[in-house]
Amino acid sequence: MSVATLDIRDLYLSFRGYVGTVEVLHGISLHIDRGERVALVGESGSGKSVTARIVLGLLQELRSAHVSGELLFEGTDLTTLSAAARHDLRGTKMSMIFQDPTSSLNPVYTIATQFHEVQKRALPTLGAAESRAMAAKMLGDVSITEPDRVLDSYPFQLSGGMNQRVMIAMALANEPSLLIADEPGTALDVTVQAQTLTLMHDLVAEHETSVLFISHNLGVVREFADRVYVIYKGRIVEKGRTQALFGNPGHPYTRALMAAVPKITGGGVADVEEASEAFAEPMVDHDRQAVA
Amino acid sequence: MNPLLSVSHVSKTFRLGNHEIRAVDDVSFDVAEGECLAIVGESGSGKSTIANMVLGIYPPSDGTLTYRGAELPARRDLSHRRAIQLVQQNPLSSLNPKRSIGASLRLPLDVHKIGAAGDRRDRIGALLEEVGLPDDFAGRSPAALSGGQRQRVAIARALACESELVVLDEPTSALDVLVQARILKLLQQLRAQRSLTYIFITHDLAVVRNIADRVAVFEKGKLVELDTPQRLFAEPSAEYTRSLISAVPVVGNDEVRLREQLAGIDHG
C-alpha cells in the first residue's frame, strides 16, 4: 500500500489563556489515503476546524497554542519542518476552501489577479497572459461558462455560488495532494450547495486529490465522503466507511447528530439533548467491527 | 373565517438605472391566524422581498396587503409595527453589539409602552426564561453569546411587544444542525403557547416538511405552488419544487428512497 496523504496520530491541542489551560483536542487520530475523501463531522466547538488549521500549520504559529502529536503528510513529519518549509506547502501541496467564499476572496482585486497570485505560488515566473489562459481553462472545469467575464470581475460582482466555484478552481489550480474544505457551501442555497458538492466531488475524483471535508451536517457528508470521522468535544467518537456508519450508527452522539437533521419524510422536529453522559462512551470503530 | 393577512395581486419592481427588475410578480395568498406558512425558493426568488413588504419596509408597486380585514398603509402606524415582527438570519448583525441583551429587549417595551416602567426588569427576565436563557443574560453583550443563544435573544425581542405575526427570515440557516433542531423546537413551543402566526422563509425544504402547515414555493418572483407539506412531498406538481426537494442533503435510507422516487429513478 502506498503512503497515506495525511496521517494524524494522537493529536493534542490546548490553549493557554487568562483562566488557565483549555484542552481542545484529546488525542485524535485520523488518516487519509491518496485520492480518498474523508469527512470530519461535529458541532461548533468540537475541534474540527482547529484540526484543519493544525494540518495547514497555522495554529502552531500562535504562541498561546500548544500542539503535540504526529502529523505525517505524504510520509514527511510536518512537526519537524521549519516555518518557511510549512509556508511553501500551503497553496501548493495543500490548499483550503473556506465556508464563506465572498469573504475569503480579496474584494479589491479582480479574479484574474487573484488567480495569478495563486499560480505564482507554484510557478513563480508565470506571466499574466499564460496565467489567464490557464485560469480560463480551470474555470471551465468548474462549469463557469463565461470565464473571461468572471476573470475581469471583482468578487462582489459575482453570486455566492459563482465565488464558491472560483474558490474551488483556485484551490485545485496547483494540483494539491490534499484539499481541506471547511463547510463549503454552508453559506449557499440548498440547490447551489448540491451543485457545488457534485462538481467538487467529480473534480477531486478526476485529479485523485485527497480531501478533508469538515461539516456539521451528516446529510451533506453522506453525499460526498468515502469515510467519516465523528468528533465530539475533541475526541473521535465514531469512525467508519460512509455506508457502514450511516447503515448502523453505533455511538449515541452520532445518532443525535443524525436525528437533528430535518427529514424530508417528515416526523417533526427532533428532541435534541443538550449533553448526555452517553456522548462520553468509547469510540465505535466500524473497520474493527468488520474484522472481528 | 377571515385570514389574518391577505396578500392580493402584489408585485414589486425595483429600478436599477434603466434596468427594471420584477422581484415579485402578481402574487396572492392568505395567511390564516395561528398557522405557519413557509415561503421557499432560491436566492433571488423574491421571498425576502415579500417579507419586507409584509413588514412595511417598502410598499408594493401594485396590489394590496390586508391585515385583519383592513388594508395595510405604506406608512405603518405603531399598532401594526407592534403586531408584525421580524427575526433575521444572522443575530450577530441584527443585535446591536454595543447594547446589552437587557437593553435590546427593553427597547420594544419602551417604544410600545408595554407594562409599567417599574416592572420592565421582571418582564425582561420572563422573556429570557421563555426562550430558555437564564435571566442574568440581561447584563451580557451579544459578543459573549453563542450563535444559538443570540438567536434566542432575537426571538425574545420579536415577542417582547406581544406580536401576533412573526416573519422568520431563515432563522436557522446560520446555525449547526443540533442548534437548529433546538431553535425549531422552541419556535414550535412559542407558537403554541402564544397563539402566534408565522411566515417562515427558508431555502431548506427538509425544515419546511417538519414545521409548516402550508408551503408557498417561489420561483423568479412568481408563486408556483401552494400546498400542505404532506401533499407537496408526495406529489410535487412543479418541476422546480421537485428540484428543490432533490437538493436536500439526507441521512436516512428511507429518505434516499423518497428522493429517488421523486427523481423518477426506479431501483426495483
Side-chain angles (χ1 to χ4, degrees), chain A residues 165-209:
Chain A
R165 279 188 259 170
V166 169
M167 282 295 293
I168 294 173
M170 278 186 189
L172 294 172
N174 292 330
E175 298 267 337
S177 23
L178 178 67
L179 174 67
I180 300 174
D182 192 352
E183 314 233 8
T186 312
L188 305 173
D189 264 5
V190 213
T191 35
V192 182
Q193 183 185 29
Q195 288 158 5
T196 312
L197 287 179
T198 313
L199 192 94
M200 199 166 102
H201 183 281
D202 295 348
L203 267 181
V204 295
E206 190 186 311
H207 291 258
E208 286 198 348
T209 315

Side-chain angles (χ1 to χ4, degrees), chain B:
Chain B
M1 202 183 92
N2 283 330
L4 182 69
L5 175 79
S6 191
V7 175
S8 158
H9 300 289
V10 161
S11 300
K12 182 72 190 176
T13 312
F14 292 106
R15 235 167 239 113
L16 270 178
N18 302 325
H19 238 51
E20 277 206 348
I21 297 164
R22 208 162 178 75
V24 171
D25 193 358
D26 192 17
V27 166
S28 301
F29 62 89
D30 287 343
V31 186
E33 186 148 17
E35 92 167 321
C36 175
L37 175 81
I39 294 184
V40 297
E42 295 177 286
S43 331
S45 60
K47 52 192 200 302
S48 292
T49 309
I50 285 276
N52 289 342
M53 288 189 286
V54 170
L55 289 159
I57 293 170
Y58 38 68
S61 312
D62 274 307
T64 51
L65 295 153
T66 315
Y67 190 77
R68 293 198 188 279
E71 192 176 320
L72 283 170
R75 204 178 152 74
R76 302 284 165 87
D77 53 32
L78 203 58
S79 71
H80 285 132
R81 279 189 267 150
R82 182 192 60 77
I84 307 176
Q85 287 286 323
L86 169 72
V87 176
Q88 282 167 303
Q89 180 178 148
N90 186 351
L92 192 57
S93 59
S94 62
L95 292 171
N96 187 333
K98 291 209 146 183
R99 209 174 260 165
S100 71
I101 301 303
S104 276
L105 292 178
R106 195 189 176 99
L107 191 62
L109 297 177
D110 287 343
V111 168
H112 297 285
K113 300 192 177 58
I114 289 166
D119 59 41
R120 292 279 145 84
R121 189 186 288 267
D122 293 340
R123 265 183 188 271
I124 291 166
L127 277 167
L128 285 171
E129 194 186 329
E130 210 179 335
V131 295
L133 295 173
D135 60 2
D136 65 327
F137 268 50
R140 298 201 190 178
S141 78
L145 271 57
S146 71
Q149 289 168 339
R150 279 184 211 126
Q151 199 56 289
R152 283 171 194 266
V153 172
I155 293 168
R157 183 177 56 176
L159 301 182
C161 51
E162 285 156 3
S163 47
E164 299 159 357
L165 172 65
V166 184
V167 177
L168 302 153
D169 194 352
E170 311 246 12
T172 59
S173 304
L175 306 172
D176 80 32
V177 285
L178 289 164
V179 181
Q180 165 172 282
R182 290 179 199 129
I183 296 285
L184 292 175
K185 202 89 204 173
L186 172 72
L187 286 170
Q188 283 185 324
Q189 284 163 1
L190 291 170
R191 178 157 78 104
Q193 283 158 11
R194 287 178 167 250
S195 318
L196 296 168
T197 307
Y198 286 162
I199 293 181
F200 194 109
I201 298 173
T202 179
H203 59 250
D204 190 341
L205 269 166
V207 169
V208 164
R209 175 73 178 85
N210 294 289
I211 60 147
D213 297 316
R214 285 190 307 149
V215 188
V217 183
F218 277 77
E219 183 188 15
K220 293 177 186 153
K222 285 196 164 63
L223 178 62
V224 293
E225 202 161 358
L226 178 63
D227 212 333
T228 63
Q230 289 79 8
R231 275 205 294 269
L232 199 78
F233 276 76
E235 291 168 58
S237 56
E239 183 54 42
Y240 179 68
T241 311
R242 214 164 304 176
S243 76
L244 278 180
I245 297 176
S246 65
V248 175
V250 298
V251 292
N253 291 330
D254 47 343
E255 291 182 278
V256 175
R257 277 193 295 277
L258 173 65
R259 232 172 46 168
E260 282 169 357
Q261 263 172 27
L262 291 172
I265 303 163
D266 193 1
H267 281 263

Side-chain angles (χ1 to χ4, degrees), chain A residues 20-93:
Chain A
T21 308
V22 185
E23 306 273 339
V24 181
L25 296 176
H26 308 269
I28 70 165
S29 300
L30 177 156
H31 77 273
I32 306 175
D33 287 330
R34 190 181 149 82
E36 204 181 21
R37 293 175 297 271
V38 170
L40 184 59
V41 192
E43 64 192 79
S44 353
S46 59
K48 53 193 198 305
S49 293
V50 287
T51 306
R53 278 165 178 74
I54 290 172
V55 173
L56 284 171
L58 296 175
L59 264 187
Q60 288 87 328
E61 293 176 2
L62 274 183
R63 277 172 63 197
S64 59
H66 181 253
V67 181
S68 71
E70 268 183 271
L71 281 170
L72 297 168
F73 178 68
E74 298 188 316
T76 318
D77 190 351
L78 290 177
T79 52
T80 61
L81 293 182
S82 66
R86 297 298 305 262
H87 181 255
D88 287 341
L89 283 178
R90 287 195 288 270
T92 54
K93 299 291 277 179

Side-chain angles (χ1 to χ4, degrees), chain A residues 67-176:
Chain A
V67 181
S68 71
E70 268 183 271
L71 281 170
L72 297 168
F73 178 68
E74 298 188 316
T76 318
D77 190 351
L78 290 177
T79 52
T80 61
L81 293 182
S82 66
R86 297 298 305 262
H87 181 255
D88 287 341
L89 283 178
R90 287 195 288 270
T92 54
K93 299 291 277 179
M94 42 172 91
S95 59
M96 181 147 181
I97 301 173
F98 294 92
Q99 186 180 120
D100 180 3
T102 310
S103 62
S104 46
L105 290 166
N106 192 327
V108 299
Y109 292 109
T110 60
I111 301 296
T113 312
Q114 296 185 58
F115 232 109
H116 192 192
E117 198 180 333
V118 169
Q119 289 164 318
K120 278 195 287 192
R121 298 277 300 134
L123 307 163
T125 56
L126 188 76
E130 290 161 276
S131 152
R132 195 182 170 91
M134 286 163 74
K137 192 193 157 294
M138 286 173 216
L139 289 177
D141 288 344
V142 292
S143 307
I144 288 177
T145 46
E146 307 164 278
D148 280 312
R149 181 182 71 87
V150 170
L151 282 170
D152 291 328
S153 300
Y154 291 90
F156 61 84
Q157 294 171 316
L158 303 171
S159 69
M162 198 72 105
N163 277 327
Q164 188 68 275
R165 279 188 259 170
V166 169
M167 282 295 293
I168 294 173
M170 278 186 189
L172 294 172
N174 292 330
E175 298 267 337

